[in-house]
Amino acid sequence: MTRPYPRIAVIRFPGMNCEEETRRAVAAAGLACDVFMWNGPTDELALYDGYVLPGGFSYQDRVRAGAIAAKDRVVDCLFEEAAAGKPVIGICNGAQILLEAGLVPGFEPGRVEMGLATNIMPDRDGYYTRWTHLEVVDTGSSATCSFGRGDVVPIPVAHAEGRFVTSTEGLLDRLEENGQVVLRYVGPDGASDPGFPSNPNGSSRAIAGIRNVEGNVVAMMPHPERAAWLFQVPERLAGPWGASRRSARGERTLLEPGPGAAVMRSLRTFAERRSEEA
Amino acid sequence: MATFKLSLAVALKVGDNEARSALEALRAKMDLEDEVRDLACEELWELEVEAPSAERAQAIVRELVETTNLFANPNKHRFSLALDDGSSGGGDLDEDEIAILVSDRESTESASILSAIRRHGTAGVVCARKWVRWRVRLTRAPSPEQPGLLPLIRRIGVATSRRDGLLSNPHSQIARAAFPWGDEKPLAG
């Protein structure tokens, strides 16, 4: 018997604006996917096999990015489903919500253990967008299990508050020891480069994405849905993906998966693996 | 030439949706409807100005605010300017209000605004730090001896868990509380 595709809910809070392209990118990975409103019935939400919190500006970033959405009732449901092992990926504003809710890093679930602070950049402040290069540091998570460890992938960022920070002594060491740092900003050649612009926001230890202890919940600042197809990759980009884009001819080639598609494939792999185990 | 500390408060003179959203989160999502009655917010700039007199220091900042749009847009903001006597956090509070002041631990915003001031050609402003000042109107007037007051203010002001705290994230921001009787207490950082 053919197993049905895992069903993923892209949860839209008021003020988000990336839900539709995220849904398309998730669906392109072979997953059934719906946009689910934040005030929808949580008993229906609980029926999904996994969740993506997309980018945007939930509640217009009022108070602090992600702070108000983290208090919403729907997040209670996410806690329950994450505790059951379902994959949850927060992208950009979604990542901010997961940190503000205490779903990641999740040493004590529900406790706010980190923050995503305002960007620190030389000679500028505020919102910043650019293509970044990411090293896949850990492949045990719902967002990275289809990558190879050490892969370097270009994915764009676009945010004003994306700098992973903590005031808890030793927490960053603990994250690294546990393999909970899943993505790190690097130079185009994959070499470590904690400075601007490779690290576009001054993030601690150039962290671009982290996971919870179990690996099913991931908060990542870069936008994989904006790199899900080859046509989204800029021709000027350095490295093999830029070269692929420059040599691509014809609609069929341009619609081949881009570097961010593996995040959605990871989500599918993780969700399928989980349902097989169940 | 001396250095004067000034306090510049900038608030919306139209409806403040940010304060409204925060109030709703506190009352409806964090079960604080019995404790919190109303909420307002404003930007509070702590400025240091080198000038021959306090009057001249205030004149420099007033002109800057009125002519540049750097701190306030006259179409939607009102501002007040005062010499900072150390009571800027709580000096004007009503008896049933407390203030929670929040600022980023690290930010390049101050450097950016100082740079913009220099580009404008205004000399004298040597330091600028922005706070967001939340005025929290409680359902009953606080008093210095009130048991449980500081834990309540932390529940409002410092995000420690999914359930508790909204107005600051202690990992990225510092926060302090100011009281109508002139006292101040650090909350985070």
Side-chain angles (χ1 to χ4, degrees):
Chain A
M1 198 173 84
T2 311
R3 190 180 291 277
Y5 293 130
R7 290 177 69 221
I8 302 297
V10 173
I11 302 175
R12 183 190 188 280
F13 290 86
M16 282 180 158
N17 57 14
C18 299
E19 67 276 6
E20 187 50 34
E21 58 260 56
T22 302
R23 187 197 63 74
R24 279 202 296 268
V26 170
L31 291 151
C33 187
D34 300 314
V35 173
F36 193 96
M37 298 299 274
W38 86 105
N39 56 357
T42 49
D43 54 341
E44 283 182 23
L45 185 64
L47 299 176
Y48 285 87
D49 301 305
Y51 308 92
V52 179
L53 279 65
F57 303 87
S58 60
Y59 294 94
Q60 211 180 33
D61 282 355
R62 291 172 189 170
V63 181
R64 191 171 59 258
I68 292 183
K71 308 293 187 198
D72 266 326
R73 187 172 50 98
V74 68
V75 178
D76 289 332
C77 179
L78 285 180
F79 265 92
E80 287 171 21
E81 301 311 314
K86 290 183 185 177
V88 181
I89 299 176
I91 298 167
C92 195
N93 190 220
Q96 292 158 339
I97 294 169
L98 294 182
L99 260 76
E100 289 284 344
L103 264 160
V104 278
F107 293 120
E108 285 180 61
R111 184 154 192 82
V112 179
E113 297 165 316
M114 295 187 82
L116 280 159
T118 51
N119 298 344
I120 295 284
M121 304 169 285
D123 303 322
R124 67 173 74 201
D125 63 349
Y127 192 86
Y128 187 64
T129 178
R130 72 172 287 125
W131 278 74
T132 59
H133 289 81
L134 308 168
E135 178 193 358
V136 179
V137 185
D138 172 85
T139 56
S141 83
S142 58
T144 54
C145 63
S146 289
F147 286 96
R149 193 158 188 265
D151 282 357
V152 175
V153 283
I155 297 181
V157 294
H159 56 251
E161 298 171 41
R163 180 166 50 100
F164 282 90
V165 293
T166 181
S167 61
T168 307
E169 201 173 320
L171 189 135
L172 292 174
D173 289 335
R174 204 171 158 199
L175 274 180
E176 304 240 30
E177 286 158 15
N178 284 356
Q180 287 180 251
V181 174
V182 294
L183 296 167
R184 201 189 303 276
Y185 299 112
V186 292
D189 57 355
S192 170
D193 180 6
F196 185 85
S198 295
N199 177 355
N201 51 35
S203 190
S204 305
R205 303 189 186 182
I207 294 171
I210 61 171
R211 65 167 171 86
N212 66 347
V213 178
E214 295 77 16
N216 60 315
V217 184
V218 174
M220 57 184 293
M221 288 311 297
H223 282 263
E225 79 283 4
R226 298 183 189 179
W229 289 273
L230 189 57
F231 75 83
Q232 293 174 304
V233 176
E235 291 188 7
R236 58 172 166 74
L237 202 67
W241 280 102
S244 295
R245 174 65 183 85
R246 285 189 292 276
S247 63
R249 296 287 179 271
E251 188 176 319
R252 197 163 169 186
T253 313
L254 287 166
L255 286 173
E256 284 181 359
V263 171
M264 309 312 179
R265 284 202 302 275
S266 298
L267 176 61
R268 177 177 174 171
T269 302
F270 198 95
E272 286 177 339
R273 210 181 278 164
R274 184 187 168 275
S275 54
E276 279 166 20
E277 286 167 6
Chain B
M1 197 76 87
T3 303
F4 297 92
K5 287 187 175 180
L6 301 180
S7 171
L8 170 67
V10 179
L12 284 169
K13 58 188 180 189
V14 294
D16 186 344
N17 289 329
E18 179 159 31
R20 206 168 292 168
S21 295
L23 178 65
E24 190 192 324
L26 290 169
R27 286 173 59 94
K29 299 176 186 174
M30 295 169 63
D31 299 328
L32 288 167
E33 65 271 25
D34 291 336
E35 284 84 14
V36 178
R37 190 147 63 90
D38 203 0
L39 192 66
C41 74
E42 62 189 7
E43 288 184 358
L44 187 71
W45 287 92
E46 291 177 346
L47 303 169
E48 288 183 20
V49 183
E50 288 178 348
S53 67
E55 292 72 25
R56 181 65 197 133
Q58 291 190 75
I60 289 170
V61 175
R62 186 172 296 281
E63 187 186 341
L64 201 54
V65 176
E66 288 175 346
T67 61
T68 64
N69 274 12
L70 280 176
F71 294 99
N73 177 336
N75 297 298
K76 60 178 183 176
H77 293 123
R78 56 185 154 72
F79 74 91
S80 61
L81 181 64
L83 276 175
D84 188 349
D85 59 0
S87 67
S88 60
D92 58 347
L93 294 174
D94 292 337
E95 63 174 15
D96 60 349
E97 282 185 314
I98 53 114
I100 296 175
L101 293 99
V102 180
S103 184
D104 288 338
R105 284 172 184 261
E106 268 186 282
S107 166
T108 49
E109 192 176 17
S110 295
S112 292
I113 202 141
L114 287 174
S115 168
I117 291 169
R118 276 194 295 274
R119 281 199 304 275
H120 178 254
T122 299
V125 182
V126 293
C127 189
R129 174 161 200 156
K130 188 177 97 174
W131 294 78
V132 175
R133 181 175 184 260
W134 297 91
R135 291 174 70 129
V136 186
R137 195 173 293 278
L138 301 170
T139 48
R140 64 181 184 127
S143 69
E145 301 79 26
Q146 185 180 328
L149 178 61
L150 206 55
L152 169 64
I153 293 169
R154 284 189 203 283
R155 258 194 88 196
I156 298 167
V158 186
T160 54
S161 75
R162 154 117 173 79
R163 301 279 171 215
D164 293 328
L166 176 68
L167 302 180
S168 70
N169 180 315
H171 300 287
S172 59
Q173 296 173 308
I174 56 174
R176 66 184 209 261
F179 301 92
W181 51 88
D183 200 8
E184 287 206 5
K185 290 241 185 311
L187 294 177

